[in-house]
Amino acid sequence: GSTPEQPVEIEVTRIVAGTPEVIMITPTPEVVEAKPFRVAIVMPSSITDAAFSQSMYEGLLAVQEEMGGPEKMEIAYSEGMFNVPDAASAVRDYASQGFDLVIAHGSQYGSSLQQIAPEFPETSFAWGTSLDTFQADGITNVFAYQAEAQEGGYALGVLAAFMSKSGIMGVCGPVEAGDAKLYVDGFVTGATVQNPNATVQKTYTGSFSDVALMASAAETHIQAGADMLTGSSQSVVGAIGIAKDNGAYWFGTQWDQTALAPETVVASQVYDWTGVIKDMIASRQAGVLGNKSYTLTFKNGGLVIQYNPGIDVPADAKAAVDAAIAGIMDGTIDPLKGPVQ
Amino acid sequence: MAELFTLPVLFGIIYSGIRLATPYLYASIGESFSQASGVLNLGVDGIMLMGAYTGFYVGMTSGSLWLGLLAAAITGLLMGLLMAVISVTLKAEQGISGIGLQLFGLGLSTLLFKLTMGGAISISGFPPVRIPLLGNIPYIGEAFFNHNLLVYFAYLLVPIANFVLNKTTLGLKIRAAGQNPQAADTLGVNITLIRYLTVSMGGLMAGIAGASLSIALINLFQENITSGMGFIAVALVYFGGWKPTGVLLGSLLFSFVNAFQLWIQVKGINIPSDFAVMMPYVLTIFALAFAVKRVSAPAALTKIFERGEN
Amino acid sequence: MQEKHNAKELLNKTFDALLPLLAVPLALIIGALLLLIFKVNPLTAYWSLLQGAFGSVSGLTQTIVKATPLLLVGLGVCIAFRGGIINIGGEGQLIVGALAATAIAVGFPNLPRMIILPLTFLGAILAGGVWGGIPGILKSRLGVNEILSTVMMNAIALQLSNYLLRGPLIDPAEIERGTQIAQSALLPKAVWLTKLVPQTLLHSGAIIALVMAVLVYIFLWRTSIGYRIRAVGLNPDAAKYAGIPVQFYQALSLMLGGAFAGLAGAVEVTGVSHRMLEGLSAGYGFSGIVAALFGKLHPLGSIPASILFGGFLVGGRSMQRAVQVPSALIDTILGLTVLFVVSADIWSSYRARRRLSNG
Amino acid sequence: MTETKPSLLDQIHLQEMRMEGIVKKFPGVLANDHVDFDVHSGEIHALLGENGAGKSTLMRQLYGLYRPNEGRIYINDKEVSFHSPQDAIAAGIGMIHQHFMLVPSLTVVENVALGLKSSRGPLLDLDVVEKRLMEISDKYRLKVDPRSYVWQLAVGEQQRVEILKALYRGADLLILDEPTAVLTPQEVDEFFGTLKQMANDGHALIFITHKLHEVIAISNRITVLRDGRVVGTLNNDGVTKTELAQMMVGRPVILQYNKNPQKPGDARLVVENLSVAGDRGSDAVKGVSFELFSGEILGLAGVSGNGQRDLAEALAGLRPVREGKILLNGKDVTHTSPNHHITAGQSYIPEERMKEGAIKDFSVADNIILQDHNRPPYSRGSFLDFKLIDERTTELVNQYNVKTPSNKTPLKNLSGGNIQKLILARELSRKPAVLIASQPTRGVDVGASEYIHQCLLEQRDSGTATMLISEDLDEIRALSDRIAVIYEGKIVGIVDAATTSVEDLGLMMAGVLPETLEKQTVAPAD
Ligand SMILES: Nc1ncnc2c1ncn2[C@@H]1O[C@H](COP(=O)(O)OP(=O)(O)OP(=O)(O)O)[C@@H](O)[C@H]1O
Ligand SMILES: Nc1ncnc2c1ncn2[C@@H]1O[C@H](COP(=O)(O)OP(=O)(O)OP(=O)(O)O)[C@@H](O)[C@H]1O
Ligand SMILES: [Mg+2]
Ligand SMILES: [Mg+2]
């Protein structure tokens, strides 16, 4: 992962305020007490899913190391919590065990958190991807976070279209919703802006875990002429394997997927949650238990395009990506619509 | 819709369907032997997972895919043997033992994966082998004759299994053990031995089915990589009426429709993707209900064998 | 004398029923070796398992909350199995039950509890019944094997749920917010099941399940319909001879199996999550089979079996949290436990046979 | 291990078999209580006893199906211990089982070839087996179609396959557990020829039957079992049926019936031009018409496999009618479900009653209410009245002398004969208007047969219209008022029972029309 050394800009969206404000935070929160800061995370898939769950877990590990190891920060996790009531009881359990911060890492956990948070006013909670801190219900101890997945989608779409010889790209999605959908929409926009003649084919397997069907989906894309593939969820590993076998390129999201297939993965949009985590910790230590929402963007460094050093990406392609990122950062490009006229 | 009816799409579907059917073929043919002898093994999915893991891990660390395949086969065999001990010797209810085996395989394969690999890595699996001459026919060559060895083996297995079941003394004993074990027993057929044999061979094949995913088709391992394929494989045995050719038919139907629905999505045809994904399941039921000749299950299937009771 | 004999027989029977449980420690011993690989003290781990499942009010209530859908699905499994049908479609039947309950409850937000609550449950039971009834009719009319059709129906239900939760049933607030989380709107409070213990998840669904267990027992063994279902399950030829329409009762038993799974779905949405969510079924369709078979396919036996199994699920999770091992380790131990318990069955039947031949 | 002997005349290795002090316990039953039994080469030793006396159990231990609790088995004076039938087969023992041990989904040849060593190693040699099977089948005149599936065969044909299976294997010692129960008299005669020939060849034979005349006709020695104990072993010189019956039952048995004069009433069952498809697709019953009157017993005679079973099943509503009409008590029940037939007042004792007529895993009491569980008085508002059911069961169990530990005992723990009696008790006690009784005394001991026959006659006297389907001509002639003979699915003729000779019946059973028989022996058919 990438742990920026400089101060991170975090965009904090206050629902009340309506306009995002930018605050500066210090990289390492001061830990005053001797007892460690205790973080628990509950997640739908596993800490090694090469996707959403792993991105957050590794973020926690990075912060832990920065803070000085397990003595300074304790991390507990519950994985495989696809069933929401199970996740809710895990969250409740952590809260009653006195954890400082309990992260419910899945948008489906929101409504449970809404019920649990008021029961534990001393505990900080966080959830994502969402921006809703339930402030409207008078809840003040919930953080919310989300990734502007479409931003990286746009950038990678540009890159894919640039590199594609056939002008055909394939997207392998799990279900048409949430973070995955945003990413895909961004990718389609980026690709078609870069190459107006480009075709972006989409498939959904209806499952977050069906690796084999995902592989078939990738195969179908390739047969239909695609030479650039992307997709989201933990099941894309299947598609990556197929891309590799067929000499197609892959673009990853949520986590740096290079290690899965070093000769296939061109670049990944990496979610870097360290800034968010550190700010939540710092806020809590400053007495603010919640009511802040965070968005990962290119601008605040939460989203990073990680290139695979093993693959030669033409300089002009990189330049196009850089231009796209710059455009997104300065607002001249809307990742879901294209350049703003 | 018209864009779906082109040669590239047709042969694309055939190519993908043939590949997709491979793990089902291994698992279902193995399971049909076990069921033909009277043992319902619902744990195929768990065995596939263990096979997929060991096949991948051994293949990766040793650098030899064949060694990986062997490891997967042995793992499958051992898991099958475990099922046989539980359901044949200890006479446990077959349905529940299978579910236990599935849970165990799912848990253990994930655990080992985390312990030894931490995260998914991809390898180069069995490469495609183009069959000389035939492989060069336009379209047909690509769709039928440019697959990896494990795919060819799966299809080769169909006539072999057919032969064993129908033309050998062993096959006759297997069928008798599933239909009337008491009768076979009185003729000196060792029911226990036969069932041990079929259930462990079924396990072995399920192990290979798993490996076909992890070292020949997808070429990596991820937790729960089968995502319930083992249960579909069991269902396909019923579709196939306990006959290898029937199982072939079922696996192909299911896989072709699955490949077809992906093309529907790729071509951007406007139906919700969920309904597209549903298609193979719906059509398999329909085909069995209206098109395929149905056979009744082996009379002793799921029944515990007690000597002398009749 | 007679009384003493009866008491002894009861003692023996209880012992036989408990004998398989002696297999649990064996499974745990193997699990302990796995725990040691992860450098975890097995005693600490198992203590947290026990503590998590039964050691506190919150643990105990969670166990019962988990046991509730297991028992309901298990009751359906009992009926179907008794009718000679292997129902592995509990997962799909539960999902459509939950979907129907959600659609009804969300569709009529202003009806009084007295009307909407029964309506919601009825809808779920009907939907589950239809989902079980389709394979039932396919079996009886067209001879389609139920294992095949129920496995397929599970997948179809899952996709149906995906579709509805992203489309017609999605929470309008999700669209408004643009988050598009695949979940339904919160159900009106009128259909929320009553909390039995404040500050816990325990809801009146547990009572429904218990009552149902007794009713199913009466149904199967005290009524002529139950007699017919059992007759059809044990010997279809003789049942046909006796004038029982075999195919109808096969379809009926699968339909009833589905209805119970559908009811479990309704209980989950109205008692626990208060909305329809992805992943709601949580494998209950399969764990329910285990619970039913642990309970010897007896509705009353399924009660302790569900509690045991529910306790394992809850305790397993809290053990995972306490000692931070991968959740897969819990699945492994659970799988081992199932395998050991069924394997141990032979000893109790052996004991029973020996007793009979000696006495 | 299971080597095929090229010929029956091969060397016999097993000279003598001796069982000593055999004890076998089952839950609640002492099936064998210190039984001594022996047989030697060249001998036919009959084993006799009431239903449940322990005959099958004793033989199953000899065949390695059960292990004795106590006792020893010697072969040629060497102690042996059989863990499975494989061991017994290896020692030269063969067994024809009382319950058919056939695989219905396999063909006749496949059933014969099962478990045999093939001449082609691991590959099947069905053509070789078929050829040799046909030789044996010709030699002993046991006709079967080797390529038919067993499920397509009638019971008698299945029994032939069982015998062929054993003959094919050419065992030194052959156990025959009620092999003649389903054979016609002619078949029995031929079969006895075979047995005698085998004995002459040096085989040892153990023969179990409930038909005393058969015992006297064929055996060298006779052992009688009662309640698991040996009552005695005697040489077959000058023993009478009455003596044997008394030894078995422990009291004198009447072997003759007094039939009251017939009081015929209205037509209870009218069958018009009935055609029924058989299992093999073609019609098994072809345009059959007859009437069955209140207060009469109409015997249906015929060689097994001539459509009796299909006719009976059609009459019971269990098999679809292709053409024609069935009127039951004046009601047209042609295309209705079995339930309609039952409601219209019909009882049916099926031929395969172990499989169709009872639920073995149900208790004795549950089996009593099989057809009537949803009718008053057993069920009220769909709840079952257990007290009443229990009372009724006790009553029937006592009345019909069914040996059972309790009303709650699973039926499968009763001896076959007792299961039979229970089914009969149920069917007769339903006071049917029409009773279709298929082989009602097959496999039942003399005491029970006698009782069943009396019951059938009592029912007749009280007005029941009975159709008695049997391959036992003695039984048919003793009980029937009229006899219909069926041949290849057609009724050859209906004749008066009292005035028609066995020989004429035999000719009719071979398809000879009554008109062509000698005038004076034929009674006018009504
Ligand atoms: N598997 C079994 N389990 C329990 N009891 C049994 C079993 N087999 C036989 N019995 C009992 O043992 C006794 C002897 O049965 P067996 O079958 O040997 O009698 P049989 O002499 O062959 O009678 P039949 O003339 O009816 O064939 C009977 O009381 C029967 O109920
Ligand atoms: N399928 C059948 N069709 C017709 N008659 C049958 C059939 N099966 C059994 N019978 C008859 O029923 C009679 C009684 O059964 P049987 O005495 O075999 O029971 P059993 O020997 O006590 O049972 P077990 O072998 O379990 O001890 C047998 O003599 C046999 O002729
Ligand atoms: Mg017997
Ligand atoms: Mg008997």
Side-chain angles (χ1 to χ4, degrees), chain B residues 163 166-169 172-173 175-176 179-180 182-190 307-308 310, chain D residues 60 63-65 83-86 89 97 101-103 105-106 110 114 118 122-124 165 360:
Chain B
F163 183 82
N166 293 315
K167 302 282 175 203
T168 67
T169 52
L172 184 63
K173 288 180 192 170
R175 285 180 288 145
Q179 294 285 359
N180 190 346
Q182 279 77 18
D185 182 48
T186 60
L187 293 180
V189 175
N190 189 337
R307 170 161 292 159
N310 193 3
Chain D
R60 285 163 169 230
Y63 196 60
L65 284 164
H83 296 264
S84 74
Q86 257 173 307
I89 294 169
H97 297 266
M101 289 294 183
L102 297 169
V103 186
S105 62
L106 300 182
E110 285 177 325
L114 182 59
S118 162
L123 303 186
L124 279 174
K165 241 166 60 180
K360 286 184 156 189

Side-chain angles (χ1 to χ4, degrees), chain A residues 13-20:
Chain A
T13 317
R14 289 223 156 83
I15 301 282
V16 258
T19 45

